[in-house]
Amino acid sequence: MEAYGIQRAIDAARSTAMELGLIARDAVVIQDSNKLTLRLRPCDVLARVSPMADQSARFEVDVAQRLADLGSPVAALEAPQVFVRDDYIVTLWTYYEPVTTQAIPPAAYADALERLHAGMRKVELAAPRFTDRVSAAQTLVADHERTPDLADVDRAFLADTLARLRQTVSQSGRPEQLLHGEPHPGNLLSTDAGLLFIDFETCCLGPIEFDLAHAPVEVADHYPGVDHHLLRNCRILALAMATTWRWDRNDRFPDARRIGVEWLSEIRILMS
């Protein structure tokens, strides 16, 4: 968000918290991407603020609440509502102080993800299929105005890779279920309450290998029943999707273009 937008988003989050009787004198920006993530103090509540055009908040809150009710390893909501303030949508979550900066052991990571998947199999909720997310990447690749720096040869390569792997994974025959969508290390917190997943706006239906593709490589060695050939295809597909986002002219990922070039080279090696 631009500076003016950030301040308005902060004001929206603070006023929402104060309406609930929480003391929110100031806010610390934790992440500024498609959503603004804030730590409100001194109440120590996490606020996620998105523009009105983003309609994923209700879905994310529904998923998180249902999983919490099942005892799944998920971050708790501070309030189960979705709040509308000015031109913003605000959700409030429990803030967790990190207990370590060390990498999460693969076996513990796999156990948390397996428990999350077990809970997700019990959740009945309309959700997009993973192919919808691939389609979004394909649309971006085809849009020259949104990806003006992407060379024609790279554009054609990404388009072909996304199409081929989408078909391969779709036709794998593996069971599909509700998934997190992006359970990478940035979305798994190590807290005093144990390992907890966050950010459920990317939930989708697909094979568990699609989720495992976003976790560190060693995690799959501790997760039961993995189709490792499918997992390899899912890893390349996930990398191709992430590479596509790095070429979006509005992408706020640090050093996005350099990373986009590196990932293109990596995909070419994997596809050769």
Side-chain angles (χ1 to χ4, degrees), residues 170-269:
S170 293
Q171 298 177 353
S172 68
R174 288 282 282 172
E176 297 191 0
Q177 66 158 82
L178 185 64
L179 304 174
H180 181 287
E182 289 187 358
H184 54 67
N187 282 335
L188 182 58
L189 305 180
S190 183
T191 76
D192 286 332
L195 297 179
L196 301 175
F197 285 95
I198 60 173
D199 292 4
F200 296 95
E201 61 186 309
T202 56
C203 283
C204 58
L205 300 173
I208 56 101
E209 286 81 3
F210 185 79
D211 259 4
L212 280 164
H214 294 80
V217 174
E218 300 81 7
V219 172
D221 295 333
H222 301 272
Y223 195 109
V226 177
D227 181 328
H228 287 275
H229 179 69
L230 176 60
L231 176 58
R232 182 180 185 278
N233 287 328
C234 285
R235 286 195 185 282
I236 303 173
L237 177 59
L239 182 59
M241 293 167 64
T243 302
T244 299
W245 311 140
R246 301 293 76 83
W247 291 97
D248 187 340
R249 67 182 181 187
N250 297 319
D251 186 42
R252 299 180 66 85
F253 199 88
D255 213 5
R257 294 296 179 273
R258 179 187 61 79
I259 293 173
V261 170
E262 290 181 1
W263 287 353
L264 274 168
S265 297
E266 185 176 344
I267 296 168
R268 283 191 165 91
I269 293 172

Side-chain angles (χ1 to χ4, degrees), residues 2 12 14 37 46 52 54 57 83 88 101 104 115 134 136 164 171 181-182 194 202 270:
E2 298 297 329
R14 291 182 62 242
T37 303
L46 191 80
M52 188 69 72
D54 185 347
F83 302 92
Y88 297 97
T101 58
I104 296 170
R115 288 187 290 118
V134 181
R164 288 169 57 188
Q171 298 177 353
E182 289 187 358
T202 56
L270 292 170

Side-chain angles (χ1 to χ4, degrees), residues 16-72:
T16 298
M18 289 188 291
E19 184 176 294
L20 296 178
L22 301 169
I23 301 174
R25 296 192 185 96
D26 65 343
V28 177
V29 176
I30 294 178
Q31 185 178 32
D32 177 14
S33 56
N34 60 321
K35 283 184 171 67
L36 187 68
T37 303
L38 307 165
R39 180 184 181 183
L40 302 179
R41 299 188 302 186
C43 63
D44 247 359
V45 167
L46 191 80
R48 285 166 59 80
V49 189
S50 58
M52 188 69 72
D54 185 347
Q55 295 297 308
S56 64
R58 180 73 265 171
F59 175 75
E60 180 178 24
V61 166
D62 283 348
V63 172
Q65 187 64 62
R66 296 187 192 205
L67 288 171
D69 291 344
L70 291 167
S72 297

